[in-house]
Amino acid sequence: MQADTSQPRVLVVDDDPATCDILSQLLGYLGYAPQCLTDSTEALPHLLRQQYHAVLLDLVMPGLSGFDLLRAVKAESGSAQTPVIAVSAHMDLRHKAREHGFHAFIEKPVELAKLRPVLDRILPAS
């Protein structure tokens, strides 16, 4: 399926394929063009080479954690210009995510009522 290039592109990085599927469906419903990766080590080159309007990043993954990925992007590019949203079932990581420079935190399981206001705040309609 070819994504509409006029839709804002959102990268989802989560090691759980079911979570990726759910987030893709929610993002598509909200008018975004999602791309999902379930391998965090594959995400770094995507984050450095591709342009996204936002990134939804799981914090706890095997290999590179969400914290590791954000740190690596900042080290390679000098900053994280794309808004990066932390996604986790671990509410105790909310404060740590903010300290590491994530733009927002969404608790799992992600629902439309949680996702929409965060995206509306970070990616206002043009």
Side-chain angles (χ1 to χ4, degrees):
M1 181 167 119
Q2 186 76 16
D4 179 352
T5 56
S6 67
Q7 294 176 304
R9 297 181 61 216
V10 178
L11 177 64
V12 176
V13 183
D14 195 303
D15 60 310
D16 179 28
T19 299
C20 276
D21 288 344
I22 290 167
L23 285 170
S24 285
Q25 291 174 16
L26 292 173
L27 289 164
Y29 175 79
L30 292 172
Y32 297 96
Q35 177 183 359
C36 284
L37 297 173
T38 55
D39 184 338
S40 62
T41 57
E42 289 179 15
L44 184 57
H46 282 268
L47 289 166
L48 295 173
R49 288 192 315 253
Q50 304 283 331
Q51 284 291 96
Y52 296 98
H53 292 86
V55 177
L56 297 175
L57 192 52
D58 186 12
L59 294 180
V60 181
M61 297 182 281
L64 295 173
S65 72
F67 296 109
D68 296 334
L69 279 171
L70 184 58
R71 189 177 308 113
V73 168
K74 287 179 178 181
E76 289 287 329
S77 66
S79 69
Q81 296 174 357
T82 301
V84 182
I85 301 164
V87 180
S88 183
H90 304 277
M91 283 298 293
D92 56 319
L93 295 177
R94 177 186 293 269
H95 184 68
K96 183 177 178 182
R98 193 160 314 274
E99 288 176 347
H100 278 76
F102 284 88
H103 291 79
F105 181 97
I106 299 175
E107 181 183 9
K108 288 182 181 180
V110 178
E111 300 165 356
L112 188 60
K114 295 176 185 176
L115 183 61
R116 183 191 309 255
V118 171
L119 290 172
D120 286 350
R121 179 173 44 87
I122 289 176
L123 299 172
S126 36

